Amino acid sequence: MAGQVYKDKATLKEMMENYAIAQRFQFRVDRSNAVSYALLCISEDCEWRFKASSINKSELFKVREFNDNHTCPLKDKVYEQRQASSSLIGGMIRPKLTNHKRKYTPRDIIDDVKSDLGVDVNYMLAWRAKEKAMNFLRGEPADSYKKLPGYLYTMDMTYPGSHIRMVKSPKNKFMYVYISLYAFIRGFDHCRPIVVVDESHLKSYYTGTFVSASTLDGAGHILPLAYGVIDSENDVAWTWFFEQFKIAYSERENMCIVSDRNESIIKSVSRVYPDVPHFACIWHLWNNVYKKFKKSHAKLSEIYFSMAKAYTQAEFDNLMEKVDIRVKEYLELAGYKKWTRLYAPVNRGWTMTSNIAKSINAALVSARELPIYDFLEEVRKMFGRWNCSNRKEATQTYTTLEKKYQKMLTLNEEMSTRMTVVPSIEYLHTKNDGGRNYTVCLLERKCVCGRFQVDELPCPHAWAVLKSKFLMPEEYCSNYYKPNTIVMTYDLPVYPLPDRNDWNIPEHVAEEVVLPPKWKRPPGRPKKKRDKTLSELLQPKNQHSCSICGQGGHNKRTCRNAPRNK
């Protein structure tokens, strides 16, 4: 080995650490500086030694002396292997961390180090090794904020017409970023004016909250409208987000916003969009009902969700009669127009929950651990993939309506076959269905059952009328469901950004200072928290039983069945 040359000292150190592990011994550093590197065996009586120094004070290091003969006792070799440092292990596991979606835990690292090197390492060493490997691949978390000005400028140049903004504190600390790509802005013109907003916490080194606004296209796919990062869920941050959204999308007729019952969102919507109705996600409201009222959850949940989706007043009133008076008062206080489709001032269609925003958050669960620059780029690439696949599906749809709604239309036609039609005037007809009469107005596209005007598809009663008049049902369907409208939704593709080495950034942008936010993530592993499913919420909780009588609902101190002393 004497006489060998290495490109730098770091490479030499890594090589010697691997050599010591492979040969099952430990060394100690005798001298280490910019121009020399000398090692001795950990045993003081051993003759093993290694010396290397730089060549003419350059980065190149040459091995000057190497005595590979060990004269130390065997017991000195079998102690804990300190050459298995976090830096060495981090370099070994880097290839396994290039894909951020791969789940690679410290426990996996411990197993791999044992398998590959034959060395036992503790959990904290594995954790530090992973942190070092991540920082090597993606840079220090604080440096990620320095990349934002150039990144946002490049996006602005690549996607003209987009609305992209960033806000810093007076001390240049990052506060907010907002992104609406022009492809989304154009696409929203061909979708229902229903906006769903939600948030989720970032899990990187610095704290922050990812916020998004989205809608559904005519095929029922998610169309992202805006996304960004704010410091926390507060009134000022949410107001700023909605102000940017209004600049990008203005205010459309019959527009509405759906979210959870976050107070900051409610306040911000009322300030920025005072004339736009704000609806509550019925799932979040149900969680509140579940926690507040502890009885008959299974039966109450079925009634509650049926009331929220009721089409007619009679259907709603009939269901409400089955509800406990306390629950009825609570739902009335929440405001019927906030959670029911029947009382909503505008048509919210099938968008009764904030699930589409939750789906975005779920798709980004692993990306939220990345530094902010890498995270925003992952979001952009994911939305670009969705844009491409949705456009491809729309161009390959050859039915009159998109597949999902074509099936619904066909099902309604099958249900209309046994109905009789009684004409009144040209556009007004009465349908008899199971002994009950339903009035259909083709001119206003309405039916007494409520489905025609809400679903914007001919209901079975309307279908029967259309067949009796030999009219095409597709002409009475919403244009949102037609493939050509969906194609126009994705008329503009989300082009890839140029390679970072090819970015042409002006000097004033490159010199802009963006510091990381004040708050950092608490030390240690973040606690994992997930929302319970409906089935889990409906399961009865375990009740403690009395140790004296064995019955539930009380303990031995309040037991009335205990034998009394005479």
Side-chain angles (χ1 to χ4, degrees), residues 94 230 262 319 416 497 565:
R94 269 179 224 150
I230 58 178
N262 181 289
L319 291 166
S416 70
L497 288 181
N565 295 326

Side-chain angles (χ1 to χ4, degrees), residues 1-6 11-20 22-23 25 27 37 39 48-53 61-68:
M1 185 182 269
Q4 287 187 345
V5 179
Y6 295 85
T11 303
L12 177 60
K13 288 179 63 178
E14 184 176 346
M15 188 280 301
M16 289 306 298
E17 288 173 349
N18 278 302
Y19 179 76
Q23 296 298 317
F25 78 96
F27 60 73
Y37 186 55
L39 306 175
W48 186 94
R49 67 187 63 254
F50 173 88
K51 289 183 180 180
S53 60
F61 263 68
K62 183 178 180 179
V63 180
R64 308 294 183 178
E65 179 186 350
F66 182 48
N67 181 359
D68 197 24

Side-chain angles (χ1 to χ4, degrees), residues 176-193:
Y176 321 130
V177 65
Y178 173 96
I179 299 172
S180 277
L181 301 183
Y182 188 55
F184 307 156
I185 298 173
R186 280 276 299 271
F188 188 51
D189 293 336
H190 307 286
C191 300
R192 291 178 186 266

